[in-house]
Amino acid sequence: MTDKAAPVDPRPIRTFGRVGGRSLSARQQALVEDLLPRLAVPEGLSDPRMLFPGAREVWLEIGFGGGEHLVEQARRHPEVGVIGCEPFIEGMAKALTGIEANGLTNVRLLMDDARPLVAALDEGCLDRVFILFPDPWRKKRQQKRRLIQPDFLASLYRACRKGARVRFATDVASYADEALGYFLGHGGFDWQAKSADDWRLAPADHVTTRYETKKLGDCAPVWFNFLAQ
């Protein structure tokens, strides 16, 4: 009798949970149908600078939630091109509302997992990256789905120029410990903390999000800032 090999699951590991949620308002639905296609990151993008002619830098925010941080950073820095990735339709609709309300022309959006995008980007094309409160996948058996993994950091490092700034934040203690270990273990990300306040206090340029105010984690927010070497 021949042993049969276990079937291989062809589905890629996702770094986010459920995608469905509350129904959109008529206005939000209209923005998703009309504005999102105009701002969508094209499939197979390799050079994000092509999306922002004349921009001084290109920034990437992975998992922008309700878009408060994304929209405000783009508003404060009109000379910068900002790409935001978010798989949840509710968050995308909220970001579109803020983009329209502020008349922003320096934002492009991807409603999907950020990993394939980062893997496809040209070497050294990102100047700044925000990864703020990604899904922590709290259960031990789920933690392989966490975004911060060695393979992802290798892709991210390649896409960052030398001197690019990377910010990671979480309010889950196990994720903070694990992520810091992976960043430092990579060897290409220089942790900028000089004292405990550098990771205990929100950076001066941070924009507080609705997620933070809910205090859903098991610890106070932890802020890790790195420079790509």
Side-chain angles (χ1 to χ4, degrees):
M1 182 175 178
T2 303
D3 291 337
K4 292 183 179 181
V8 177
D9 188 347
R11 296 171 299 177
I13 293 177
R14 299 193 312 175
T15 61
F16 51 89
R18 67 179 184 86
V19 180
R22 297 179 181 177
S23 298
L24 303 182
S25 68
R27 181 58 187 151
Q28 288 176 327
Q29 187 63 44
L31 289 171
V32 169
E33 294 175 359
D34 299 333
L35 181 57
L36 180 56
R38 287 184 271 142
L39 300 183
V41 172
E43 186 175 353
L45 176 74
S46 59
D47 185 358
R49 291 164 292 198
M50 295 177 62
L51 301 175
F52 311 103
R56 178 173 57 82
E57 293 185 349
V58 174
W59 297 359
L60 172 66
E61 181 166 351
I62 298 175
F64 56 72
E68 302 95 343
H69 181 274
L70 175 84
V71 169
E72 181 59 16
Q73 292 289 1
R75 188 193 68 80
R76 292 178 183 177
H77 303 281
E79 77 286 0
V80 170
V82 182
I83 297 174
C85 299
E86 172 60 46
F88 296 98
I89 187 66
E90 303 100 312
M92 186 63 67
K94 290 174 182 177
L96 289 167
T97 300
I99 290 168
E100 183 190 52
N102 287 276
L104 302 178
T105 60
N106 60 328
V107 180
R108 296 294 182 270
L109 302 171
L110 175 67
M111 195 166 69
D112 204 345
D113 194 319
R115 293 181 303 166
L117 170 67
V118 172
L121 292 178
D122 288 344
E123 183 176 349
C125 64
L126 296 177
D127 299 280
R128 193 166 190 186
V129 180
F130 298 98
I131 308 171
L132 307 180
F133 305 98
D135 194 322
W137 294 101
R138 298 171 189 272
K139 295 180 181 179
K140 189 69 175 178
R141 61 183 174 82
Q142 297 176 331
Q143 290 178 5
K144 64 182 180 180
R145 297 180 179 272
R146 288 176 170 175
L147 177 65
I148 304 304
Q149 305 284 350
D151 287 349
F152 171 73
L153 290 182
S155 292
L156 184 66
Y157 180 75
R158 183 191 52 77
C160 287
R161 68 165 174 82
K162 185 175 181 180
R165 293 174 289 171
V166 178
R167 177 174 298 164
F168 173 85
T170 184
D171 56 2
V172 175
S174 67
Y175 203 177
D177 292 340
E178 181 180 88
L180 182 59
Y182 283 143
F183 271 107
L184 297 181
H186 178 277
F189 296 97
D190 184 33
W191 189 22
Q192 297 297 287
K194 304 302 180 185
S195 68
D197 280 352
D198 290 332
W199 54 266
R200 289 176 176 170
L201 300 180
D205 64 344
H206 176 63
V207 179
T208 301
T209 67
R210 275 175 281 187
Y211 173 85
E212 289 176 68
T213 63
K214 295 178 181 179
K215 299 182 179 180
L216 299 176
D218 60 11
C219 69
V222 174
W223 312 90
F224 296 143
N225 288 285
F226 304 93
L227 285 184
Q229 299 300 295

